[in-house]
């Protein structure tokens, strides 16, 4: 059994990364304590993922479940980042969460499509074909054909995530960076870790909305399982708040 040293090793006091990680961890606890209603929803949404995916046996079709597992992992990563104040960077992870769900839907039970996707790096020709087949516009079109409402939610959230940090864009950049003049000097103030306030509230809401959209996409793939288990009912109850 080891004990924590009472004095830091040489150079520890100058270790800004450790200070950053300590502040990140402190922010996570502060968010958990100060944002109880939002955190209750975020935890409840995580439980819906667990009920759908973990312990499921022989889901039909099989391939989308693998993508939804990765979407769930991305959701948890984004929750951790947002709670800690990494609001700008979390947008890219939330976009990844949406994309995994949409890829799972797009492939569905199509074994040939799955095989093409898995073999995309076997040649330049194969990669080019998969890029064209899996274009965001193609995936969105399939979603619209299945459920226009879910497709609309997906498209709106996807574009919002790009605006606020999934790509380098003005909205996200302005949220976390400030240029100011002091005489002849220009100062750059970059927020690495946001505290409480409007940006954190917005990011927590967006995180929940992305996960709800992912679960709505999951319902397009596994409606019977989600109906029989009551997941759809509980999903709808949370969705009314967003």
């Amino acid at each position: 059994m080891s004990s924590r040293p009472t004095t830091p090793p040489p150079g520890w006091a100058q270790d800004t990364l450790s200070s950053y990680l300590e502040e990140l961890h402190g922010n996570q606890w502060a968010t958990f304590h100060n944002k109880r209603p939002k955190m209750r929803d975020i935890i409840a949404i995580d439980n819906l993922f667990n009920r759908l995916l973990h312990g499921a046996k022989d889901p039909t079709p099989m391939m989308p479940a693998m993508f939804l597992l990765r979407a769930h992992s991305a959701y948890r990563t984004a929750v951790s980042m947002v709670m800690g104040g990494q609001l700008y960077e979390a947008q890219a992870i939330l976009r990844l969460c949406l994309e995994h769900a949409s890829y799972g839907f797009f492939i569905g039970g199509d074994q040939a499509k799955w095989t093409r996707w898995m073999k995309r790096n076997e040649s330049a020709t194969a990669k080019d074909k998969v890029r064209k087949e899996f274009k965001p516009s193609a995936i969105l079109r399939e979603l619209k054909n299945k459920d226009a409402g879910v497709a609309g939610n997906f498209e709106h959230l996807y574009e919002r995530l790009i605006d606020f940090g999934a790509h380098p864009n003005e909205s996200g950049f302005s949220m976390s960076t400030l240029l100011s003049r002091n005489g002849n000097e220009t100062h750059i103030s970059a927020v690495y870790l946001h505290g409480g306030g409007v940006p954190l509230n917005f990011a927590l809401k967006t995180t929940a909305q992305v996960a709800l959209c992912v679960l709505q996409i999951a319902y397009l793939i596994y409606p019977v399982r989600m109906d029989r288990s009551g997941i759809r009912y509980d999903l709808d109850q949370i969705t009314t708040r967003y």
Side-chain angles (χ1 to χ4, degrees):
M1 182 175 180
S2 61
S3 60
R4 185 175 179 178
T6 56
T7 56
W12 186 268
Q14 289 76 42
D15 183 356
T16 57
L17 177 59
S18 295
S19 298
Y20 169 85
L21 294 174
E22 185 176 1
E23 184 179 352
L24 170 72
H25 187 58
N27 283 353
Q28 289 172 331
W29 282 112
T31 300
F32 183 81
H33 178 75
N34 296 327
K35 305 293 182 181
R36 293 295 178 89
K38 293 181 175 64
M39 289 307 305
R40 276 195 291 268
D41 282 343
I42 282 173
I43 291 168
I45 291 167
D46 185 73
N47 287 335
L48 295 183
F49 276 109
N50 280 329
R51 287 163 58 189
L52 173 64
L53 297 168
H54 295 277
K57 296 181 180 179
D58 299 322
T60 304
M62 175 71 74
M63 285 81 78
M66 293 183 278
F67 285 94
L68 290 171
L69 284 165
R70 297 281 18 127
H72 183 206
S73 179
Y75 169 67
R76 285 184 168 180
T77 301
V79 168
S80 176
M81 294 175 74
V82 169
M83 288 178 67
Q86 297 168 317
L87 309 187
Y88 183 95
E89 291 74 16
Q91 307 306 302
I93 302 300
L94 288 168
R95 179 188 171 197
L96 181 67
C97 182
L98 273 181
E99 287 180 327
H100 272 108
S102 67
Y103 271 49
F105 167 79
F106 190 62
I107 289 174
D110 190 332
Q111 184 65 48
K113 189 181 289 186
W114 162 258
T115 300
R116 289 194 297 276
W117 184 78
M118 287 293 291
K119 293 183 175 181
R120 73 186 297 275
N121 289 318
E122 289 192 351
S123 68
T125 301
K127 180 177 288 189
D128 184 60
K129 287 182 177 179
V130 168
R131 281 176 175 169
K132 291 177 180 177
E133 184 177 10
F134 282 76
K135 289 190 302 184
S137 59
I139 296 174
L140 181 60
R141 183 167 57 251
E142 288 296 314
L143 274 173
K144 286 180 177 178
N145 289 339
K146 186 73 173 183
D147 190 307
V150 172
N153 292 340
F154 174 87
E155 185 175 21
H156 173 74
L157 288 166
Y158 193 88
E159 292 301 323
R160 186 203 295 175
L161 295 171
I162 288 175
D163 285 342
F164 280 92
H167 285 180
N169 279 319
E170 179 275 332
S171 295
F173 198 80
S174 297
M175 180 179 69
S176 302
T177 309
L178 177 66
L179 296 178
S180 60
R181 296 282 297 178
N182 184 6
N184 294 325
E185 295 181 342
T186 300
H187 296 270
I188 303 174
S189 299
V191 180
Y192 281 29
L193 297 175
H194 286 263
V198 173
L200 177 60
N201 290 336
F202 180 67
L204 287 168
K205 181 177 180 179
T206 298
T207 300
Q209 288 174 324
V210 166
L212 292 170
C213 184
V214 167
L215 288 164
Q216 289 170 346
I217 293 172
Y219 183 76
L220 302 180
I221 307 167
Y222 301 114
V224 174
R225 175 172 173 78
M226 292 180 70
D227 280 333
R228 287 180 176 175
S229 62
I231 295 173
R232 178 69 207 207
Y233 175 82
D234 293 338
L235 171 62
D236 289 343
Q237 301 311 298
I238 299 173
T239 300
T240 60
R241 295 192 284 275
Y242 294 88

